[in-house]
Amino acid sequence: MPPDSAVTASTATSAAVPAETSVPGAAPLAALGVEQAEAALVEHYTRLVRLAYLVLPPSLGRNRRVLTAHALVQRSLPRGRTAARSAIPAQSRAAGTDGGTGAGTGGGTNRGTDGGTATGAGRNPGYAYVRERVLRQALDAGRPLRRLARPRLAQLPPPLPRVWGLRLFPRSGGADELALDQRLSGLSGPARAAFALRGLELLTDKEVRRLLHAAGAVDTETALAEAADAAERRIGTADPVELLRSPEFDPCSLQARPTDLMRRRQYGRAALAAAAALLVCGTLLGLPGGWGPDDDADSPYGHNAAVAAALDPARVRRIAPAAWQTSARTDFSVWPARGPLAEDHALLRRALTAWAAPGASVHISATPATPSGPPMGSPQLLYAGTVDAARVVLFHDGLRVVRYAEPATGGEEVAALDFARADGAGAAVAGALVVGRSDGDVRYLTAPWVRSASVRDLLDPAEPARPLRRDADGVTAPLASPAMAQDCRSWDTLSVRDGSDGDDSSDGSDGESGATERLLTDLGELTPARLTSGPPSAPGDVTSPADRAAWARTACLLPAMRSHGVRSVNSWPYARQPLPESNGTATWLCTRADTWRGTGSRVLAQFQAPARTAAPGAVAARAEDTPACGARESRVLAGVLWKSRGGTWYVLAAGSGRLGSVQVSGGVRGSAPGSLLAVRAREGVQAELYGETPDGTRVDALR
């Protein structure tokens, strides 16, 4: 788009965001009753536990941090009938004012902080007292344990609450939440406290300094500086302060997993035996870490024949190398067993045992709605080998693809398990799996029917695909992973060619005659997402110059689909609109990400004005879990506020299919027959958009 024109997705109707107001603290009191403190604790329990969880040292582990955070809050009441009141105001500004306006003509929403409004807490001396007690105990937990003196209570495992037989941890977030958690783990305890008080409690720096000093922190200036630096550096496109409200940091919204079931059984039996017998049994069964590197799988699991069979490396299903050529199915179920370590039974046993009963040192991740339970019988082996600095094993059990990884040089007590849905996969989406990531790069294991692999940069549609080397097992050389990039200067995709169906592209690109080219991209999960173009009823591969040019301006919007269990992303140019004042022709696209689980689809309506460079399009509207732009409902309507080269503002709108008319109301009024609309408007105007079919059916804008 020419430099003197502008696009803003601000035609949505949205509530005005109130200005930030000061909430003065109540006058100091000499003392407050325990009943008042208890009432404040119960009312704001969720906020207090989240604050304690963020301040506690990450070295405790997520399960112990959750229990310790609850314990700190629950033992923060005054010991007597009264307690001195904290001089620190509970809140300086009203939470819940950080609303946001909607992008596009759809409408806006206001987001508030969890745990109630801050205005009530700001005038509650009981809340201020309890918060200071929680903060002091959480900071104490991060200080060195004093062995010669009486240790602080916060440094000991919490006596209550106690959970037996379960490990609790907050719900997993996306890549942005994981990056924030890693950033916070690098801060000191007072810095984490300052970050949380500024972001969640909305305190000023002066109030944070006073509260940290009252809680026993020493170098409050350094803590404030570290917190400010962590808050100012964005994580991708996300605001770190906004990410604090994610379920990833909510210890009151929990997931539960069993502890080591076999260890619990052995402990129950050992309680009836002598101490010497307990030591002998523990040594023979190899249970100190929950799973041993070379244990006999039949010993701890021999009481259940089905489980013992599933954990036997000799019974792992192995598909013949040529089975896919004659099979009626072309998916992960016909992938052969590959890799130089496919016969390493010790490695396979460790992988299977970690899958069936993961210990505390096994890091588990799963795509949304993907079960992470034990295998359903003997799984299928896809690959076992060394990738970069890790030994990797890939399994398939019909529903899921599972990757086990451990350090290649020792350190077998630390491992990782990744789960991803893969049911209903066909040749188009079963062309590759992520086998490893390191140093910002990704490696893929390609399907046995893939003839060749190359790298295509979505942001440079004119550049030919670059050849990508593969070894004898189908593992590619490393290529840059857009899921791990901090910017959007390039977007490397995996281009695979096979002879399953379709024709080769006719644009002179490299490849084999008669081979279908498919683009797969890494979105931070085990299964890469397939990229397509075209109408929802018949999406096709991205092969034509027009499709590649459209994707060049769409690729930088893909981070919105990251770590969401995405199966495929289709970008559909549903309308072309001549712009007023002879400013050229704009393209309207609808980009839809479908998931493996079926629900949770994400849709972006995009406006691409004429431009001399591949600048990203403007997001006119977005929606989640909607049939719009899909095979079931292909209709879509969206609009933007656009400025011409002459400086005139317009409301532009476009719909797909056959619309009888498009109308706009609110701050500007107008209508036009057909599916396109252009109405003069003022800068910053708010409007409501809708259309009608020839039979009078109303079609609302995407929101």
Side-chain angles (χ1 to χ4, degrees), residues 80-100:
R81 299 301 301 173
T82 61
R85 180 182 184 273
S86 171
I88 309 299
Q91 191 112 352
S92 65
R93 290 163 287 179
T97 61
D98 53 334

Side-chain angles (χ1 to χ4, degrees), residues 535-537 572-576 588-590 628-630 633-638 653-662 672-677 691-695 697 699-700:
S537 58
W572 170 38
Y574 68 87
R576 290 176 59 82
W588 292 84
L589 296 96
C590 192
C629 293
E633 178 56 75
S634 60
R635 284 188 304 195
V636 61
L637 174 64
S656 63
R658 296 182 178 179
L659 290 180
S661 65
V662 179
S675 59
L676 301 176
L677 175 139
E692 289 185 354
T693 61
D695 62 2
T697 302
V699 178
D700 291 319

Side-chain angles (χ1 to χ4, degrees), residues 72-410:
L72 296 187
V73 174
Q74 293 177 17
R75 65 188 186 207
S76 294
L77 292 177
R79 295 187 179 275
R81 299 301 301 173
T82 61
R85 180 182 184 273
S86 171
I88 309 299
Q91 191 112 352
S92 65
R93 290 163 287 179
T97 61
D98 53 334
T101 58
T105 319
T109 60
N110 289 334
R111 299 189 301 271
T113 59
D114 58 325
T117 61
T119 304
R123 299 190 177 99
N124 191 339
Y127 176 75
Y129 172 82
V130 174
R131 181 182 60 189
E132 180 181 325
R133 293 260 299 181
V134 169
L135 189 61
R136 176 182 294 275
Q137 295 178 86
L139 291 175
D140 284 347
R143 299 187 178 113
L145 185 64
R146 298 182 299 178
R147 301 186 182 276
L148 299 179
R150 180 183 177 184
R152 297 181 177 92
L153 289 177
Q155 296 170 324
L156 300 176
L160 289 175
R162 299 291 289 179
V163 178
W164 296 95
L166 289 175
R167 291 190 295 115
L168 303 178
F169 47 91
R171 296 183 178 276
S172 299
D176 293 338
E177 287 83 357
L178 178 60
L180 176 59
D181 189 53
Q182 294 174 345
R183 180 179 296 179
L184 292 178
S185 66
L187 300 180
S188 63
R192 288 193 302 272
F195 187 90
L197 292 172
R198 294 177 57 181
L200 295 178
E201 299 292 297
L202 302 180
L203 298 182
T204 65
D205 287 354
K206 181 178 179 181
E207 293 164 345
V208 171
R209 188 181 297 110
R210 292 168 57 198
L211 185 51
L212 288 178
H213 181 74
V218 179
D219 193 355
T220 57
E221 294 298 334
T222 301
L224 281 169
E226 292 181 14
D229 179 70
E232 290 171 1
R233 292 185 288 116
R234 300 185 70 84
I235 299 176
T237 60
D239 182 2
V241 175
E242 288 294 327
L243 293 176
L244 282 180
R245 301 179 177 90
S246 166
E248 175 82 9
F249 306 103
D250 184 7
C252 291
S253 177
L254 301 172
Q255 288 181 319
R257 284 187 55 81
T259 56
D260 193 324
L261 302 179
M262 298 310 303
R263 180 188 293 182
R264 284 164 48 188
R265 177 181 297 179
Q266 295 300 328
Y267 280 178
R269 294 176 178 176
L272 304 177
L278 174 63
L279 179 60
V280 172
C281 291
T283 303
L284 293 178
L285 295 177
L287 294 178
W291 54 277
D294 294 308
D295 292 340
D296 183 359
D298 290 335
S299 294
Y301 298 96
H303 299 284
N304 189 316
V307 175
L311 297 180
D312 187 355
R315 300 189 185 185
V316 169
R317 291 186 294 116
R318 300 169 185 263
I319 307 301
W324 66 272
Q325 299 177 3
T326 56
S327 173
R329 301 176 61 175
T330 312
D331 56 15
F332 296 114
S333 67
V334 294
W335 277 32
R338 292 175 284 178
L341 301 180
E343 301 298 331
D344 188 339
H345 282 207
L347 172 63
L348 298 182
R349 180 178 292 114
R350 291 195 298 272
L352 291 169
T353 309
W355 183 0
S361 60
V362 179
H363 176 75
I364 299 174
S365 67
T367 56
T370 301
S372 58
M376 300 174 290
S378 298
Q380 172 191 350
L381 177 63
L382 303 181
Y383 178 84
T386 301
V387 180
D388 296 324
R391 286 188 291 264
V392 175
V393 182
L394 286 175
F395 294 112
H396 178 244
D397 69 351
L399 172 68
R400 304 163 294 178
V401 173
V402 181
R403 179 180 61 189
Y404 168 84
E406 67 180 27
T409 55

Side-chain angles (χ1 to χ4, degrees), residues 535-537 570 572 574 589-594 600-605 621-638 656 699-703:
S537 58
N570 183 57
W572 170 38
Y574 68 87
L589 296 96
C590 192
T591 303
R592 178 184 176 90
D594 287 315
S601 59
R602 291 184 175 178
V603 178
L604 301 177
R622 66 183 71 215
E624 187 166 342
D625 211 4
T626 174
C629 293
R632 296 180 58 187
E633 178 56 75
S634 60
R635 284 188 304 195
V636 61
L637 174 64
S656 63
V699 178
D700 291 319
L702 183 70
R703 65 182 68 194

